[in-house]
Amino acid sequence: MSEQDLIRSVDRLVDQVAQWTPARWAASGGSRAVTMHALAQRLADIEAGVTGHPRHEVPRLANDLVLPDQVRVTARDLLAARPSAEVFAEAARAVAETRSALAELRP
C-alpha cells in the first residue's frame, strides 16, 4: 500500500459524497454522517499513533456538508506524518470499510 493508493481511495470517497445534500446526509437517521465522521476520527487517531501526538476529538460540526473536507484534512495530516506501508494499508482499509458502509445505507 502506498501514499498514492491512499490518496486515490480518499479522493474516490470524497468525490462520491461531496455533492450530497443535507437531506441525503440526514437520510438513514443520520447514520451516513456518523459513518463519515467516524472515518475522519479514525484517520486522526491513526495519525496520532504515528506521530506520538495525543489523540484529539475531531469536532462534529453542525453542517454535514463539511464531512468530506474533514476526511480529506485528516487524511492529509496522516500523509504528512509519513507512515509505514502497514499504516497506509490500515488507513486504506478504514476508507474502504466506510465506502462499503455508506453503500449499504443507500435508500
Side-chain angles (χ1 to χ4, degrees):
M1 179 58 57
S2 73
E3 176 179 340
Q4 291 303 314
D5 293 330
L6 179 59
I7 290 169
R8 275 191 296 275
S9 66
V10 168
D11 286 346
R12 273 192 305 261
L13 174 60
V14 168
D15 289 348
Q16 173 187 337
V17 301
Q19 76 285 352
W20 285 5
T21 63
R24 185 146 185 202
W25 281 110
S28 300
S31 54
R32 287 182 176 131
V34 169
T35 300
M36 195 70 167
H37 181 262
L39 175 60
Q41 185 65 60
R42 180 72 182 123
L43 294 173
D45 291 346
I46 294 170
E47 183 269 340
V50 169
T51 62
H53 294 135
R55 290 184 179 200
H56 67 280
E57 184 177 334
V58 174
R60 181 66 177 93
L61 304 174
N63 185 348
D64 293 335
L65 299 178
V66 302
L67 288 165
D69 290 331
Q70 283 187 307
V71 166
R72 193 178 302 258
V73 167
T74 55
R76 298 293 175 184
D77 288 347
L78 174 58
L79 292 170
R82 304 237 183 251
S84 66
E86 293 81 17
V87 173
F88 278 129
E90 178 185 358
R93 275 192 305 275
V95 173
E97 289 166 4
T98 299
R99 286 188 78 199
S100 294
L102 290 172
E104 290 175 13
L105 294 172
R106 289 189 178 170

